[in-house]
Amino acid sequence: MTDAFQPNLDFTAAEQVDEREAFVVDLEGYEGPLHVLLALARTQKVDLLKLSITRLAEQYLAFVHEARRRNFSLAADYLVMASWLAYLKSRLLLPRTDKKDEEPPAEEMAAALAFRLQKLEAMRKAVETITSRPRLKRDVFTRGDPEATVIVPSDRIDASLYELMAAYVTQRRREGQRQYNPGQRVEAFGLEAARDWLRDILPRLEQWTPLEQVAPAHSGTEGPTQSSFTASTLSASLELVKEGAMDVKQAEAFAELYLKRRGRGQPLELMP
Amino acid sequence: MIQFAPDHGEIERRVEALLFAAAGPLSAAEIGRRLPEGADVGGAISALRERYQGRGVELECVADRWRFRTAADLGFLMTEEREEPRRLSKAALETLAIIAYHQPCTRAEIESVRGVSLSRGTLDLLLEMGFVKLKGRRRTPGRPVTYATADKFLEHFSLASLYDLPGVQEMKAAGLLDLSIPVGFEVPDPSRAGDDDDAPLLEGADDAPEFAQDFVAED
Amino acid sequence: MIQFAPDHGEIERRVEALLFAAAGPLSAAEIGRRLPEGADVGGAISALRERYQGRGVELECVADRWRFRTAADLGFLMTEEREEPRRLSKAALETLAIIAYHQPCTRAEIESVRGVSLSRGTLDLLLEMGFVKLKGRRRTPGRPVTYATADKFLEHFSLASLYDLPGVQEMKAAGLLDLSIPVGFEVPDPSRAGDDDDAPLLEGADDAPEFAQDFVAED
């Protein structure tokens, strides 16, 4: 059965055979089993729906055989397709049993395969027709120099879901890198903690105390830096000032800052 | 400046000026918004289209919007303006075509038409180029995301709308754009085999290459 | 394609196309260089000038160079203000993405993901565009305002609900998470942000229902 076709797959024979009939085993040229099947089906030169599936199966199996003989490492999907086609072919050739079968009739499966090939072929043709259309910036050109005051279609915002996704992932990646890099890690004295710290020592702040003395002291190499302690303590103290729990004063810009608990009924002290 | 009740000719002039000045295609509504109430934008566009017919510059409809562009047969003159097109691989073009003709469709459906799994980079290139967009989710189990073409696809290939895709009516009539697989039809789909319990089958095939040869040998 | 001895009409077409597609004004010599030897550029320009006389677009000469421009009396059509930006800035898009996936979230949380402080205009712009809305206040010290996406966000991105936002699977499928998925990378599902699992924390929520939803146990 395969005799009629087999020579075409043979490389030595292929050289003597008419180019159009030669079917050279070149896996690189194919995307997958369906693409190979489509190429094979074309050699039958019939309407894809009237395709001889048995013949197609033979051709494909011969193709796989040849490819393997030539030491191509065949992808699993080629082999899966081969076994399925062999199975389909055997079912098509065997006399039909009337036994209640769970599977659909082989003819139906064959027709469906032909349909799939037809569909792929249609898409192939579509690619050809679409790409032969006049293409922007290759065949047709829009205004090279639109007027300075461009009319911007105002009801459109150019942002696709893809861009949104991409923007999200980029940032999360950045975030991951930031957190992963220990060298860049800056441990800060949290505002929360600063507030708690202040509330704790507030009762003791009866006198004007410099900010530096109020802020927790940096110890060892671990933990937040002294400037973080100072900055957070200042921020937290301003909140407490706003709440009316304490006062703050500074003689002039860059001068020492003093903090003090606000006494009940005590008038706001003027700056010295 | 004629501000009140401009006649047809004046409306046509204004539409012409707007389309010329615009950086991108404009819809009739977008044009109309800049014209006096009740202006016959459609009529003006038809008149302009006729006027520019066969000229070096033509008026065309892309993605339901209008734009002036150079005549297709004069592309060879624009050596300086031409941009080296980003070459799309065969796989990318096929994927684009499948999405264009079947939209909205899922990744699995694209893979099922092509019979191979989509390699990395194929879809994201199309997405990045703005030819394809995420459309929504299929209301089926797993709620897969669906893809559709974006306006830029139509603009790039000078298509007025999706109805103008070459051969779309014929394909539809022939039932070729149906994504539902015929009842009981199961071609092994390796692209999806990895995702479920078919995985052992694949491993088996890899480990035992004789597997297929056996069938061939028996022939 | 007429390559040999194109007639006057054809030369005129070509000059028209060249002037239209050029990024700046062209001199007669520059045009002539792209036309067949001996083509009457001057004649073509005169003919075009006459053809466009009184139209919405005119051919004008500046410093011995030629260009198309919209008729001077139609300038008023072009001075329209932009109503909305055409493209979202990178910062705006990134901010929108974080709000979409992490909503409701506070300004500080957005900044913590982005690693940079948020400029005032970014959030305002998103609010103004209706993509984002104020959601409530976090019940943490300082009671920071939380942000969430508004309906217009769903509309613009054609999403039926927040449940339809692409998740990790789609990000992978789009090739965005190909190589180095950060350890522990998870994309929150914003559609579940509203789940009221924190029942004990609902006290006092009567007057401000959003607060409860926004609450995140920080300890």
Side-chain angles (χ1 to χ4, degrees):
Chain A
M1 279 190 290
T2 49
D3 286 353
F5 183 71
Q6 191 77 18
N8 293 354
L9 288 170
D10 198 313
F11 254 69
T12 48
E15 285 161 16
Q16 294 139 31
V17 177
D18 181 358
E19 188 95 43
R20 277 167 299 142
E21 282 177 282
F23 188 71
V24 180
V25 177
D26 173 18
L27 279 187
E28 299 302 309
Y30 297 100
E31 286 255 20
L34 268 191
H35 291 81
V36 169
L37 279 171
L38 183 59
L40 290 168
R42 279 176 176 159
T43 65
Q44 291 193 23
K45 294 188 180 106
V46 290
D47 182 344
L48 279 174
L49 277 176
K50 295 183 190 116
L51 196 66
S52 161
I53 296 291
T54 40
R55 208 171 141 215
L56 186 66
E58 279 157 22
Q59 291 174 344
Y60 182 82
L61 295 177
F63 167 84
V64 166
H65 183 64
E66 179 63 17
R68 292 181 52 74
R69 200 179 65 75
R70 294 178 50 78
N71 284 331
F72 279 110
S73 54
L74 265 191
D77 43 0
Y78 282 84
L79 301 178
V80 172
M81 180 61 88
S83 63
W84 185 80
L85 279 174
Y87 169 70
L88 176 60
K89 192 187 115 185
S90 67
R91 280 196 57 196
L92 282 168
L93 293 179
L94 285 172
R96 179 123 53 113
T97 55
D98 284 336
K99 202 177 68 182
K100 261 284 178 203
D101 211 338
E102 295 217 340
E103 283 179 292
E107 287 74 18
E108 226 170 76
M109 291 164 78
L113 174 61
F115 174 78
R116 267 186 88 162
L117 292 177
Q118 223 192 350
K119 196 174 178 64
L120 186 59
E121 172 81 349
M123 289 302 109
R124 278 271 162 103
K125 287 209 177 111
V127 166
E128 279 167 32
T129 44
I130 287 176
T131 50
S132 64
R133 291 188 63 80
R135 256 200 263 189
L136 193 62
K137 285 176 179 164
R138 188 192 72 179
D139 309 304
V140 297
F141 299 83
T142 50
R143 183 88 189 269
D145 182 25
E147 315 273 312
T149 46
V150 176
I151 303 291
V152 178
S154 58
D155 57 348
R156 282 197 295 168
I157 297 150
D158 251 2
S160 69
L161 209 45
Y162 175 72
E163 287 171 312
L164 188 77
M165 246 162 61
Y168 181 74
V169 172
T170 324
Q171 304 179 81
R172 291 299 305 276
R173 270 230 179 91
R174 267 199 328 248
E175 180 199 18
Q177 280 159 358
R178 272 203 321 274
Q179 288 175 348
Y180 188 68
N181 189 345
Q184 285 181 357
R185 186 162 170 165
V186 175
E187 201 177 323
F189 183 44
L191 267 181
E192 229 58 19
R195 214 176 284 122
D196 292 345
W197 169 266
L198 267 181
R199 286 199 199 281
D200 278 352
I201 64 167
L202 193 62
R204 282 175 280 145
L205 285 181
E206 283 168 334
Q207 301 302 317
W208 286 110
T209 318
L211 175 65
E212 275 72 21
Q213 287 177 34
V214 176
H218 175 74
S219 60
T221 50
E222 293 287 291
T225 59
Q226 188 58 52
S227 41
S228 175
F229 276 128
T230 311
S232 298
T233 307
L234 172 64
S235 305
S237 63
L238 291 177
E239 279 183 34
L240 293 191
V241 168
K242 199 173 157 197
E243 286 174 15
M246 66 191 297
D247 288 321
V248 60
K249 74 170 180 180
Q250 186 181 32
E252 57 183 10
F254 303 112
E256 191 95 66
L257 266 161
Y258 290 92
L259 307 174
K260 183 175 165 234
R261 162 169 84 100
R262 185 175 284 186
R264 273 173 225 101
Q266 216 172 329
L268 214 87
E269 226 170 299
L270 292 170
M271 286 211 279
Chain B
M1 194 192 302
I2 309 150
Q3 277 286 37
F4 294 103
D7 62 9
H8 284 303
E10 175 62 15
I11 292 295
E12 195 185 312
R13 279 186 80 224
R14 292 193 189 177
V15 174
E16 187 179 28
L18 283 168
L19 284 168
F20 236 81
L26 296 177
S27 70
E30 282 159 353
I31 298 170
R33 213 172 299 142
R34 291 166 177 87
L35 296 177
E37 197 90 22
D40 179 14
V41 180
I45 288 174
S46 306
L48 282 171
R49 201 171 194 188
E50 207 166 302
R51 178 182 286 273
Y52 280 89
Q53 183 73 44
R55 305 285 318 153
V57 173
E58 292 174 347
L59 187 57
E60 85 170 344
C61 179
V62 280
D64 289 326
R65 291 181 157 80
W66 296 89
R67 74 171 176 206
F68 277 116
R69 59 145 173 84
T70 58
D73 66 319
L74 296 180
F76 71 97
L77 286 174
M78 318 299 160
T79 44
E80 276 171 43
E81 288 76 20
R82 187 166 305 140
E83 272 177 17
E84 203 46 58
R86 216 161 153 182
R87 268 195 73 78
L88 283 173
S89 69
K90 212 166 130 193
L93 282 170
E94 236 172 68
T95 304
L96 182 59
I98 293 168
I99 295 173
Y101 285 83
H102 296 86
Q103 59 187 298
C105 63
T106 66
R107 186 191 182 87
E109 285 159 357
I110 298 165
E111 291 179 336
S112 125
V113 172
R114 302 190 63 233
V116 266
S117 56
L118 267 179
S119 67
R120 297 239 145 139
T122 307
L123 255 180
D124 70 322
L125 179 70
L126 293 173
L127 285 161
E128 205 187 299
M129 291 176 72
F131 284 174
V132 163
K133 64 183 179 195
L134 294 154
K135 177 81 183 172
R137 278 178 196 273
R138 191 57 54 81
R139 309 258 165 227
T140 52
R143 297 174 54 85
V145 162
T146 57
Y147 299 90
T149 53
D151 282 352
K152 203 174 161 201
F153 164 76
L154 297 174
E155 285 171 23
H156 188 83
F157 292 103
S158 294
L159 291 161
S161 73
L162 290 174
Y163 295 107
D164 298 286
L165 278 172
V168 71
Q169 298 311 331
E170 293 87 325
M171 287 187 212
K172 205 175 238 169
L176 279 173
L177 298 185
D178 201 351
L179 273 174
S180 60
I181 299 162
V183 191
F185 177 61
E186 271 176 60
V187 163
D189 189 349
S191 61
R192 263 178 280 170
D195 291 342
D196 48 43
D197 36 12
D198 287 340
L201 177 66
L202 274 179
E203 278 160 31
D206 274 340
D207 295 342
E210 287 81 13
F211 174 64
Q213 202 149 26
D214 289 346
F215 286 102
V216 180
E218 270 169 16
D219 240 35
Chain C
M1 194 191 302
I2 309 151
Q3 277 288 36
F4 293 103
D7 61 10
H8 283 303
E10 175 63 15
I11 293 294
E12 195 187 312
R13 280 185 80 224
R14 294 192 189 178
V15 174
E16 188 179 29
L18 282 168
L19 284 168
F20 175 83
L26 296 178
S27 69
E30 282 161 346
I31 298 171
R33 217 172 296 139
R34 299 205 222 173
L35 296 177
E37 197 87 28
D40 179 12
V41 180
I45 290 174
S46 306
L48 280 173
R49 199 168 194 189
E50 203 167 305
R51 178 183 286 273
Y52 280 93
Q53 185 69 46
R55 305 284 318 152
V57 173
E58 289 173 353
L59 191 57
E60 96 175 337
C61 182
V62 273
D64 280 335
R65 288 184 151 75
W66 296 89
R67 72 163 182 211
F68 279 118
R69 43 154 287 170
T70 50
D73 68 315
L74 296 181
F76 71 95
L77 285 173
M78 314 297 151
T79 53
E80 189 145 337
E81 295 276 317
R82 296 181 179 211
E83 286 159 36
E84 278 167 319
R86 189 181 154 80
R87 273 195 87 79
L88 281 177
S89 71
K90 191 163 162 262
L93 191 64
E94 288 184 359
T95 306
L96 182 60
I98 296 169
I99 295 175
Y101 283 97
H102 294 260
Q103 60 186 292
C105 62
T106 67
R107 187 189 185 89
E109 285 158 359
I110 298 166
E111 290 176 339
S112 119
V113 175
R114 296 197 63 223
V116 277
S117 63
L118 206 55
S119 74
R120 185 159 275 283
T122 308
L123 260 176
D124 288 349
L125 178 78
L126 291 173
L127 285 162
E128 208 174 280
M129 284 166 57
F131 277 6
V132 162
K133 64 182 179 198
L134 295 164
K135 176 88 181 166
R137 277 180 193 278
R138 189 62 54 80
R139 281 183 137 194
T140 53
R143 295 173 54 83
V145 166
T146 59
Y147 298 90
T149 53
D151 287 347
K152 190 151 175 231
F153 167 80
L154 295 177
E155 267 167 46
H156 178 83
F157 291 101
S158 313
L159 295 165
S161 71
L162 285 175
Y163 189 37
D164 293 313
L165 261 184
V168 176
Q169 285 315 313
E170 288 76 38
M171 290 175 182
K172 272 192 201 144
L176 290 168
L177 287 174
D178 269 1
L179 299 166
S180 53
I181 299 182
V183 187
F185 184 87
E186 270 175 43
V187 175
D189 180 354
S191 59
R192 282 196 219 128
D195 286 358
D196 294 343
D197 286 344
D198 307 325
L201 307 170
L202 277 169
E203 353 158 73
D206 287 347
D207 45 334
E210 280 107 343
F211 291 179
Q213 295 183 353
D214 292 354
F215 192 91
V216 171
E218 299 209 323
D219 296 334

